[in-house]
Every structure is written in structure tokens, then in C-alpha cells.
Amino acid sequence: MKNVKERMAEEIASSSGSDGGDEEEMDDIQNKWEEQQIRKAIKCPQTMDSDLLHGHSPPRMKKYVAPKFSSPPVTVEDIRKRLTARIGSIEEVHRAHILDSEKYTRDLENARNTLQKLETSSSERSYKFFKAMKVYVENFVDCLNEKVQEIYQLESEMSQILAGHSRTLLKRRQDDLQRQSAAIQKLAGTGNGNDVLAEEQMESHLQDMELRRERRRQKREDSGQIDHHEGMSSDDELSPDHEHEYKQDQEDVLLLCKPIFDDVHEDFCQTKNILFKFHEWREQFPETYYDAYISLCIPKLLSPLVRKQLIGWNPLRDTTELEHMSWYCDLDDFCYSKHDREDNMEDNPNHKVLSAVIEKTVIPIVSGLVEHVWDPMSSVQTSRLVHFCKTHVLGDEKSKPVQGLLSCLISRLKKAIEEDVFIPLYAKRLLQDRTSPHSRFQERQFWSAVKLFGNILLWDGFLQEEILQELSLDKLLNRYLLLVLLNVEPDSELLEKCRKIVEYLPQSWFRGLGSGETLARLGNFSKNLVNFVHALHKLNDRKSMEVLVSLLLKIKAENLAEDVVAQYSITV
């Protein structure tokens, strides 16, 4: 910076060319400057003197000292490690950013889908559909409420017709049995012969019974049936008048069934059209369809229509399968649509609609037939009923309809054993002549019990094994059949009886048995087979002995069979 004197000199020099009148002004400026300098010179010493008088020393200037740093030497490896760590941290942050970006993308897509669904659900089309569906369901329910009582009334009438027919046949069979037993007791001199009219009626009934048997024999011969024993056929023949009346009653009920829905539009009485409405709902608005649990409602809605179609169906006599009925085919198509068959979703509730209809509608109908119509002594009825149960009753065994069916089956089998099995025991002298009435009657009743034995064992695989063994072995074989086997002479007929009994026994009962022992419930039967072997040995009938040993092996009574084989050197 230039001092004041120099600035003033420059100003004087710059103004040297100005007028002479300015010289005086310049002198004044010079004088003022000199005075200022004198005052400054006088003021500084005074200040220094005052500081000295008060004892203040002038500040000392600090000497600058450069800082000293001690840092370890930095190598290339250290730099590389730091860079690697830095890169790893940056990559981790980058991955986190990628995950966040993907999450935001998914959230955005879900938001768009939700928005689209909301726009669709709130559209005019969905509003119209649900409004129309609501009106349709209300009208459909009102229609069923008007028709359901009529359907159930006709169903009850048909059940009464079938039950009455079954009671007629059952009563006639029991009456025939009593008349035969009374007639044979009369031959033995133990009957009451005072009532002549009763004897004439009994003789007439016995002749009529024998005529029916003769017609069944002729029918078997015409069909070529050879393996048959007297007593194993079912006597379900009615007189022409009764048969005509029975069929006419059924036809009348079926005629009343036809016009039930004549005044109803097809959309409310045909299962195909009804299911199409719900199929549209499922295809267009699946979320609301499943939220409303429609698959649980359909079986109850269709129950009256299905029952109406089943009024003329009798699984005990008809050969018509459920798979051939229209309602079954419609439900099968509804439950298993094309995309469902491809996906094969096990948890799809639609797949359970058909089985639910069978469980809640068909099985109760079959339970009523079992309780009031089914004759366990009929092999034809039993085999058809077994086929139906093993084919269609595949649901939860703990459900009420299935439990009701099982209870009816067991109860009816027990009742048949108690009421329909009667095997009289006569003295051996009365049975020596195989053509005698006593022998023929006992033989017929024995084979009738064997037929029931086989019919019971047809339920193997459906009823519990313990229940079947109790019914067939405890209540029938050991209580009735063994008593007859013990009182007959060992011959070819005895061999056939034992063979038939073993033939009916399910082989699944003997799997897993060890130590060469058979079932405990077959203990007495297997011992009797051994006794028959001893008796046949006295007759020197080795061929029959070999057959009995093979029967012992078939029921896994291996220890008894080995003893007999070793004792008599039998070739197995």
C-alpha cells in the first residue's frame, strides 16, 4: 500500500498542470498531514510508557514448530484389501437395492392386478351378473320348496311298496319253514293231528312250495347251472296276480313322478342347466365363487332333483349303474372340467361335489333299502349291494350317512342269522337214509345257512374284519354248521361241505399268521377236519384224506396238517 505522503505527491504531480490558485490549497493539505504525523509520533511513545509504568511487557512472538507425524508404512497389499472391502460393501448395497427393486416391482404388479379386479368387480357387467344370479337362486329355491314335499311323498310310497314286497317274501319263507318242520315232526309222531282243516291247508301250502322249487330246478337246468345244492336258491317267486299288482303299483308311482316339473322351466329342473349357471360363476368370478363355498351348497340344492330320478332305482334288483344316469354324468362334467383334469388338484373343492351328492343323497336311500328291503339270504341282492358299496361308498367312514349305512348292514345281517337260520338235529337213525324227509330237510337247511355264510363273507374289504369274523365264524359256523358236521358220516358229501366252507373264507385273514396256527375262531373247525381224516383212514379213503389236509393247509393250520401227514404218510 502507498503511504499518505506518496499519495499526496501523486496528487500534486497530477495536478501540476492546474491553476496557480490551487497552490495555497496544497500547502494547507501539506500542513495538515505534517500535524497528523506529529500527533501520531507523540501518541505512540506515551502509550508505550504507560504500559511500562503498569508493568505490562510487550507480547512475545511464538516460534512456529512444525507438527511431527508418525504413520506406519502403507503397502500395496493394504491398499488392495481396503479396495476389496470397499467393493464388497458396494456390491452388498447393490444387491439390497436389486431386492428392493424386485419387491417394488411385485408390489406394483399386485397393485395393478388388484386395481384391475376392483375395476372389473365394480363394473356394470359384474353387477348385472350377480343381480341375475341372486334372482335365479331365489326362484330356484322357491321352486324346490314347492316340489320337494311331492317328491318325498312319492319316494315314501315307492319305499313302502318295496318294503311290503320284501315282507311278503320273508313271511312266506318263514311260514314254509314252520310248515315243513311241523310236517316232519308229524311224521316222527310228535305232531298234533287233531285239526283236519289245518292239515289240509298245510298240505296245500307244501304242494305249492314244492311246485315253486320244481320250477327253479327246471330253470337251473335250462341255464346249465350244475354247482348247486338244494337250499341255496332264493325263493322270490310270486303268484301272477301278486306279481302284476306289485309291478303295477311301481308303475303308478313312476307315472306320478313324470309331471312334477312339467310346469317348470328347464333352467330350474335339469341338473345340466342348473350346473351351467354355477359353472359360469366359477369361470367368470372364481374368487367370489370359492369365497361363497358354492361347492358345499350344490349337493343340498340338487338333492330333491336327484331323489326324484332315483325313485324308480333299486340297486338290489336293477342292473342300472349310477354312472349311466344323467345327473351323475352332469355332475362328473361339472366337477372335472378340462383345466381341472389337467391340473389334477387334489384339494379342489369342485372334485368333492359328486362324492358329496352320493354321500348325502344316495347313501341314505340305500340305507333305507338295506333296512327294509334287502334280503341277506339272496345271493343276487347281496352281490349287487356289495358292488354298489365298494364302488361308491368311498368317503369318510366317520360321516353320519356312511355310519348309518354300516349300522344298517350289521344289524340286518345279525337279524338274518337269528331269524332265518334253522338247522334241526335228528337222531342218526333218521338221517342214515339220505332220501328220508328228515335228512332232506336238514340238508336243505344246512346249505341255506352255508349260502348265508358266503353272503356275509362277500362283505370282506368293506366291513371290518373283526365284525365279519364274529358274524360268520362265531354266530354261524361254530354255532350251527359245526353241529351238523359232527353228526354226519364221513363221505363225499361231508367233504363237499367242508370244501365249500373253506372256499368262502377270505385268504386275507390268514396273511401274517405265524407259528403254524390258524385263527382262534377256526380252532374247532380245524380239529374236526383232523377227526374226519382219522375217520376216513378207517375207510381207507386216502384221496379224501389228501383233500382234507389241503384244506388244513389253506386255513394255515400247518401244525395239525404236518402231524396228520407224518402219521399217515399222506402226499400233499
Side-chain angles (χ1 to χ4, degrees), residues 152 155 294-304 306-307 310 327 331 352-367 388 392-396 398-402:
Y152 290 166
E155 184 182 48
I294 299 301
S295 59
L296 300 179
C297 302
I298 291 178
K300 189 172 182 179
L301 290 174
L302 296 182
S303 178
V306 175
R307 297 180 81 98
L310 294 178
W327 65 267
L331 275 170
K352 301 178 182 179
V353 174
L354 179 58
S355 59
V357 171
I358 294 176
E359 178 181 327
K360 298 180 182 300
T361 302
V362 182
I363 290 181
I365 295 176
V366 176
S367 298
F388 168 82
H392 299 289
V393 185
L394 303 175
D396 185 10
K398 296 182 180 179
S399 66
K400 289 185 179 180
V402 176

Side-chain angles (χ1 to χ4, degrees), residues 321-542:
E321 298 288 346
L322 291 181
E323 292 84 349
H324 300 153
M325 296 185 178
S326 60
W327 65 267
Y328 188 99
C329 299
D330 296 337
L331 275 170
D332 185 62
D333 294 338
F334 173 81
C335 295
Y336 299 96
S337 59
K338 294 181 179 179
H339 64 275
D340 288 342
R341 294 182 188 276
E342 293 174 357
D343 296 342
N344 193 21
M345 295 181 293
E346 295 181 357
D347 297 333
N348 192 335
N350 295 319
H351 297 177
K352 301 178 182 179
V353 174
L354 179 58
S355 59
V357 171
I358 294 176
E359 178 181 327
K360 298 180 182 300
T361 302
V362 182
I363 290 181
I365 295 176
V366 176
S367 298
L369 294 175
V370 168
E371 184 176 2
H372 302 292
V373 181
W374 175 44
D375 181 13
M377 297 296 295
S378 173
S379 299
V380 175
Q381 292 186 23
T382 303
S383 60
R384 290 177 178 173
L385 183 60
V386 169
H387 172 72
F388 168 82
C389 292
K390 290 185 177 181
T391 303
H392 299 289
V393 185
L394 303 175
D396 185 10
E397 293 184 358
K398 296 182 180 179
S399 66
K400 289 185 179 180
V402 176
Q403 285 291 329
L405 176 60
L406 295 176
S407 177
C408 290
L409 287 171
I410 296 171
S411 176
R412 189 66 187 89
L413 289 173
K414 289 181 179 179
K415 185 178 179 181
I417 294 174
E418 294 171 357
E419 297 182 358
D420 294 327
V421 177
F422 172 70
I423 305 178
L425 297 178
Y426 301 112
K428 287 188 177 182
R429 61 180 179 80
L430 298 175
L431 300 175
Q432 290 178 352
D433 183 7
R434 294 301 178 89
T435 61
S436 66
H438 303 82
S439 178
R440 293 175 59 187
F441 182 62
Q442 186 189 72
E443 192 78 1
R444 175 179 292 277
Q445 293 304 114
F446 174 84
W447 284 110
S448 177
V450 170
K451 180 180 69 171
L452 179 60
F453 181 79
N455 292 343
I456 292 174
L457 293 180
L458 286 176
W459 293 101
D460 178 55
F462 186 79
L463 294 178
Q464 294 182 4
E465 185 176 297
E466 178 65 24
I467 295 175
L468 283 180
Q469 290 184 5
E470 179 185 355
L471 293 174
S472 60
L473 302 183
D474 291 344
K475 293 183 177 297
L476 196 51
L477 175 62
N478 295 330
R479 183 179 298 180
Y480 292 102
L481 301 181
L482 274 182
L483 294 179
V484 177
L485 296 177
L486 291 174
N487 293 323
V488 297
E489 297 294 331
D491 53 10
S492 59
E493 293 186 1
L494 172 64
L495 200 66
E496 175 63 16
K497 293 174 182 177
C498 295
R499 185 192 65 80
K500 199 68 175 179
I501 291 173
V502 174
E503 180 182 329
Y504 283 135
L505 294 174
Q507 288 301 305
S508 59
W509 289 2
F510 305 104
R511 297 192 186 113
L513 294 178
S515 68
E517 296 290 339
T518 186
L519 295 172
R521 290 183 167 98
L522 290 174
N524 291 332
F525 178 70
S526 58
K527 291 178 181 178
N528 286 325
L529 291 180
V530 174
N531 294 333
F532 297 152
V533 173
H534 297 325
L536 290 172
H537 175 69
K538 297 178 180 179
L539 300 175
N540 197 22
D541 189 353
R542 296 189 62 85

Side-chain angles (χ1 to χ4, degrees), residues 185-219:
Q185 288 178 359
K186 181 182 178 182
L187 291 176
T190 58
N192 186 5
N194 297 328
D195 193 348
V196 178
L197 180 61
E199 291 182 1
E200 292 179 354
Q201 292 178 350
M202 179 183 297
E203 187 66 25
S204 175
H205 284 297
L206 291 177
Q207 290 178 358
D208 182 59
M209 179 184 63
E210 192 60 34
L211 288 175
R212 294 197 304 273
R213 289 176 181 172
E214 185 61 32
R215 285 193 290 268
R216 292 199 300 273
R217 293 191 195 100
Q218 187 63 40
K219 188 176 180 179

Side-chain angles (χ1 to χ4, degrees), residues 272-283:
K272 184 177 182 179
N273 296 345
I274 296 169
L275 292 173
F276 180 74
K277 294 285 187 181
F278 293 100
H279 177 74
E280 283 186 332
W281 187 354
R282 184 178 66 186
E283 292 296 322

Side-chain angles (χ1 to χ4, degrees), residues 222-238:
D222 295 340
S223 62
Q225 185 177 354
I226 301 176
D227 186 15
H228 181 81
H229 300 278
E230 290 292 335
M232 297 190 73
S233 61
S234 298
D235 186 9
D236 54 359
E237 179 184 353
L238 291 174

